[in-house]
Amino acid sequence: MKKAKVNIKGFEIYKGYLDSNSQVELLAAIRGIAKAAPLFSPVTPSGKKMSVQMTSSGQYGWVSDRNGYRYSPCHPNGVQWPPIPKVLLQPWKELISAEREPDTCLINYYGLATKMGMHQDKDEKDFTWPVLSISLGDSGLFRMGNENRGGSTQSIWLDSGDLVVMGGEARLKFHGIDRIRFQSSQLLKNAGRINLTMRVVK
Ligand code: SIN
Ligand code: MN
């Protein structure tokens, strides 16, 4: 079924793409990933602990420490990332490609007072592929900017089940999460927001 989308500055936003049954299924798959590859708090290259907790699945995962931001075939604890569960790949198949799977699915967990500063997704080798973002749990205020830092921005609340395709003119635009509405959703027992981003890395 074709779902409605809104386009803001090139970011394609699908409100309410996933129904509540699919959200519960995705959450179960994410729990499996977090068991095999536990959430960790990345440190920026300058040594600052990020407030978001992360893990990944797929051939690569995103890591950050004093040596910089990069994709790695292993979790910081040395284990290989678990494969991306089929149920997580379904929205990618529907909206991005039925032939080419993403190389990674990053998982961000936002607890109380977690935010993510404005940044570009530019550690991937190929920017022709969009990044697909899936939001679950508490709502997050998503800010969209421009290819250079600064200038006018627009914001939208991303609720549980919303998807964003960051491709084309939006692929290298700055974006971030200003704040979350803690406990606004019932999906996660202990509240918080999960964001998945699927990416082609190589
Ligand atoms: C990200 O930019 O990596 C995450 C965006 C979000 O949490 O919605
Ligand atoms: Mn990003």
Side-chain angles (χ1 to χ4, degrees), residues 108 116 119-121 131 142 166 175-176 197 199:
N108 290 331
M116 183 175 288
H119 66 277
Q120 292 168 293
D121 292 353
V131 171
F142 184 59
M166 300 185 261
H175 56 275
T197 45
R199 305 157 186 234

